[in-house]
Amino acid sequence: MKLLQNIVFLGLLLIGAFQGSAQPFTLDKAIQPVELKLLADTRAGHEGELGIVYFNRLSDTAMYHYVTGHDLYNFVDVLVTSVDGTPLKVSLAKDNWEAVQAQQNTVNARDGIADFKIRTWGSFGIKIEMEQPNNSIYTIAVLASPEKKTYLGSAFRSINEDEMTSSGEPSPNEAAGTSDDGGSANYLLYIALGVALLVIGVLAGKLMGRKGKGTAVVLVLLSLVPLSSFGQDRGAVLTMEEFENWKKQQNSKHAMVMSQLAALESERKAVDKAVNDLDKTIATIRKQWDNVKLLYDTYNNGLGKCISSTPPAQAPSIPSICTDLSLDDNGYISEEEDQECAECFLEARKKFNNMRYQFEKLATIYKCTKDFSNAAISFGDDVSGFTPSGVGGLAWQTQRRNIEKSVTELEQAYDKKYGEFLQSLADAMMELNICEAKYGVEDWYDRFGYMYFEFMKDKYQRKD
């Protein structure tokens, strides 16, 4: 139950603390971005994956969107393209729309698809710009992997023989060595939404293909016949002049319909090509995500400087009688581990590892939100001074106070949760202490475990 409460807290921490973080900050009320909330991929074999595919027309020179629904430990791909090759400048923003943190142009991108690989916490903005709105179709696909918790590696090392009893003291190097970068192989960090896109393409083909085009022409032409002019019993009588005029009208309407169908057919072909290119790009992403060694290097573009992908510096490595437990994709001990010590250590080590990542998440949420609020205040102070008559400046002062109040509430929430997390970490380490004693390691916590606990206590204590 406590673990569930922790997870719920981390998901809701800032909803009450800072409502403004739903999208990049702006004082321009004309900017009304479209929310792209990631949805669960319910297909078999894609458990934990998220994604969304969004289609729209280029109706303005700048189109705004913001992405929600992902989390800190997801690896996210953002794919943007236009179906007819219209050049697009695509920018990602975190703090405010003017502070661009990543930018690409589809003209220079492979297959005309801008592909951003990022890790971030909280929502982020996608701004699409073009020289002239032409009402053609563009698409945004956002793919997010299942949560992966591997970058902290293992906190443990094999215990030496002379460390088994309390009479033996660990050497300084052994007691304070940095932790390894190990972790388990990540599995299929990818969300394949190409199937949905292909279905859309097939449906478009069926609707706009030759057979569909012929059927559409017949239906349209039949609809053009002035059936209302025919009486139910007596029919209709036209003079020759009226008949000639009616034929001219129908020919004109027919030409217009055929022109529209030709335009739709051309657009369908463009959509088919865009779908195929996007599908190939997604397949390439899947191959890249299979390469565990390059995973964090590939997705090292954290939006903002508040995302970490390396173990904390100077973290002690803890001697343990049971260090060879294999880890699953979330950095937990594998359920299939058959070593004798795993039976005792399994649950305690899961709780311990979970608290390490919970502390990381808590600190990241705090730092990201502080960065966001500081950037918003700085931006608002700069922009509000140029507002005519000072009215906007007065409105901004109210917003500024609300942001500052939210930060204060965030600090209070952090301190409270920090204390709860410390207790949960201590409980998990006491369970590990019992297991170590069971296998002959005397006073494990007092001699080794407390050093790691003190490190975590100091590392994640709020410094400002």
Side-chain angles (χ1 to χ4, degrees), residues 126-299:
I126 304 174
K127 180 181 179 181
I128 299 177
E129 299 173 272
M130 71 230 71
E131 292 183 359
Q132 292 291 337
N134 58 8
N135 213 39
S136 64
I137 297 174
Y138 70 97
T139 180
I140 301 174
V142 184
L143 319 173
S145 74
E147 286 193 353
K148 298 293 180 179
K149 301 174 183 177
T150 58
Y151 71 91
L152 292 181
S154 174
F156 301 93
R157 64 170 177 82
S158 296
I159 194 168
N160 297 325
E161 188 68 28
D162 60 355
E163 295 175 325
M164 296 288 289
T165 62
S166 58
S167 59
E169 294 296 332
S171 66
N173 290 337
E174 291 172 340
T178 57
S179 59
D180 296 333
D181 291 334
S184 65
N186 297 302
Y187 177 69
L188 301 180
L189 288 176
Y190 139 83
I191 296 180
L193 294 177
V195 173
L197 290 174
L198 290 174
V199 170
I200 293 172
V202 170
L203 291 176
K206 288 184 177 180
L207 289 173
M208 295 302 162
R210 294 192 175 185
K211 182 177 179 181
K213 181 166 66 176
T215 303
V217 171
V218 173
L219 292 175
V220 172
L221 290 179
L222 286 175
S223 68
L224 297 178
V225 177
L227 297 178
S228 60
S229 64
F230 295 93
Q232 292 182 351
D233 300 320
R234 299 177 61 85
V237 177
L238 299 176
T239 66
M240 294 304 295
E241 182 179 0
E242 290 172 337
F243 178 68
E244 287 295 329
N245 290 335
W246 179 81
K247 283 198 304 179
K248 291 178 180 179
Q249 292 174 359
Q250 303 317 304
N251 289 338
S252 176
K253 292 179 180 179
H254 176 268
M256 179 183 66
V257 170
M258 295 303 294
S259 175
Q260 292 173 342
L261 287 173
L264 289 173
E265 175 67 6
S266 176
E267 185 173 82
R268 181 192 69 81
K269 290 180 179 179
V271 170
D272 283 348
K273 182 181 184 303
V275 166
N276 291 333
D277 289 343
L278 190 59
D279 190 44
K280 287 191 300 182
T281 301
I282 291 174
T284 301
I285 291 171
R286 182 175 187 176
K287 293 179 181 178
Q288 292 173 341
W289 285 359
D290 283 339
N291 192 334
V292 178
K293 293 182 179 180
L294 297 178
L295 183 62
Y296 285 95
D297 290 337
T298 303
Y299 290 82

Side-chain angles (χ1 to χ4, degrees), residues 381-446:
D381 287 344
D382 291 342
V383 175
S384 62
F386 298 99
T387 305
S389 304
V391 177
L394 294 175
W396 161 241
Q397 291 305 315
T398 300
Q399 290 192 43
R400 196 181 199 280
R401 287 192 293 271
N402 290 336
I403 294 175
E404 291 171 339
K405 179 182 177 182
S406 297
V407 171
T408 300
E409 293 173 351
L410 171 67
E411 292 172 346
Q412 295 171 350
Y414 183 100
D415 292 342
K416 179 180 179 181
K417 192 53 60 176
Y418 165 79
E420 293 178 11
F421 281 7
L422 280 179
Q423 184 59 56
S424 297
L425 178 64
D427 293 343
M429 297 188 79
M430 287 300 101
E431 293 183 33
L432 290 174
N433 186 58
I434 294 173
C435 291
E436 297 286 352
K438 180 178 179 180
Y439 287 94
V441 182
E442 297 180 359
D443 302 324
W444 176 85
Y445 180 81
D446 291 337

Side-chain angles (χ1 to χ4, degrees), residues 361-385:
K361 190 171 185 178
L362 180 66
T364 300
I365 290 175
Y366 177 76
K367 190 173 189 309
C368 287
T369 306
K370 285 279 287 186
D371 289 352
F372 182 96
S373 58
N374 290 338
I377 289 174
S378 177
F379 177 79
D381 287 344
D382 291 342
V383 175
S384 62

Side-chain angles (χ1 to χ4, degrees), residues 72-73 75 119 148-154 178-182 295-297 299-300 302 305-315 356-357 359-361 363-364 452 455-456 459-460:
L72 173 62
Y73 298 118
F75 294 86
R119 290 179 61 233
K148 298 293 180 179
K149 301 174 183 177
T150 58
Y151 71 91
L152 292 181
S154 174
T178 57
S179 59
D180 296 333
D181 291 334
L295 183 62
Y296 285 95
D297 290 337
Y299 290 82
N300 63 356
K305 298 179 180 179
C306 54
I307 303 294
S308 174
S309 59
T310 58
Q314 300 179 337
R356 294 171 69 207
Y357 284 98
F359 269 112
E360 276 282 291
K361 190 171 185 178
T364 300
Y452 195 88
F455 167 80
M456 295 288 284
K459 168 68 179 176
Y460 295 103

